[in-house]
Amino acid sequence: MASRHLARSIILQSLYEWDFYTEKKEDLNKILERNIEKFGPDIEDLDFIEKLAKGILKNLSKIDEVIRVSAPERPIEQISIIDRNVLRIGLFELFYAEKKEVPPKVAINEAIELAKNFGGENSGKFVNGVLGTVFKNLKLET
């Protein structure tokens, strides 16, 4: 598994645990440290993990609002914890990541793979639909 894909998987698992226990922001760093040690002790790109996790928390309300607008038929509280956090990762990378570092299509594809690997039967399609819509709207704005 590529280093960045593993990093995103660890972030997803950590966000899942954090979100499951009602978003205890102060605990995410501890959860990340434990999951890095358990699932990726040899991972080299720790800066990527830290930057992504902290960026998601910092912009959480903005990211969640994009989810609300982009998936109005599903209230954010009713979206599965996995799908909700996959979308948070994908949307953060679409909006805030350096495009040279993480091109938009890579961000979308990575999110879809996370959804397929960790989510339910329709998670990949759902994530693809939401991120695809957001990406199209981004392209129209530029």
Side-chain angles (χ1 to χ4, degrees), residues 39-55:
F39 301 114
D42 298 328
I43 202 160
E44 296 174 7
D45 205 351
L46 294 175
D47 289 341
F48 177 75
I49 292 175
E50 185 178 337
K51 184 177 174 183
L52 190 53
K54 284 184 178 181

Side-chain angles (χ1 to χ4, degrees), residues 17 22 34 36 47 50 59 77 88 98 102 109 122 126:
E17 183 178 338
T22 43
R34 185 181 66 245
I36 290 167
D47 289 341
E50 185 178 337
N59 296 286
E77 302 80 22
R88 287 171 172 164
E98 291 289 327
V102 182
N109 287 335
N122 295 316
F126 174 66

Side-chain angles (χ1 to χ4, degrees), residues 16-81:
Y16 179 93
E17 183 178 338
W18 169 82
D19 196 355
F20 184 82
Y21 292 109
T22 43
E23 300 179 1
K24 295 181 180 177
K25 291 179 177 79
E26 65 278 0
D27 294 338
L28 184 59
N29 285 332
K30 292 177 188 174
I31 296 167
L32 270 171
E33 287 174 17
R34 185 181 66 245
N35 286 337
I36 290 167
E37 188 176 309
K38 185 173 183 178
F39 301 114
D42 298 328
I43 202 160
E44 296 174 7
D45 205 351
L46 294 175
D47 289 341
F48 177 75
I49 292 175
E50 185 178 337
K51 184 177 174 183
L52 190 53
K54 284 184 178 181
I56 290 168
L57 286 185
K58 180 181 176 188
N59 296 286
L60 188 65
S61 61
K62 294 175 192 171
I63 292 168
D64 284 357
E65 184 57 30
V66 173
I67 295 170
R68 282 184 189 89
V69 170
S70 303
E73 70 286 349
R74 282 197 182 167
I76 195 163
E77 302 80 22
Q78 293 178 6
I79 297 172
S80 76
I81 296 174

Side-chain angles (χ1 to χ4, degrees), residues 1-9 43 110:
M1 182 181 296
S3 179
R4 289 251 168 127
H5 184 75
L6 176 59
R8 288 181 183 95
S9 296
I43 202 160
E110 283 290 323

Side-chain angles (χ1 to χ4, degrees), residues 115-130:
K116 286 180 181 178
N117 290 333
F118 292 97
E121 186 177 322
N122 295 316
S123 293
K125 291 177 186 175
F126 174 66
V127 167
N128 185 27
V130 172

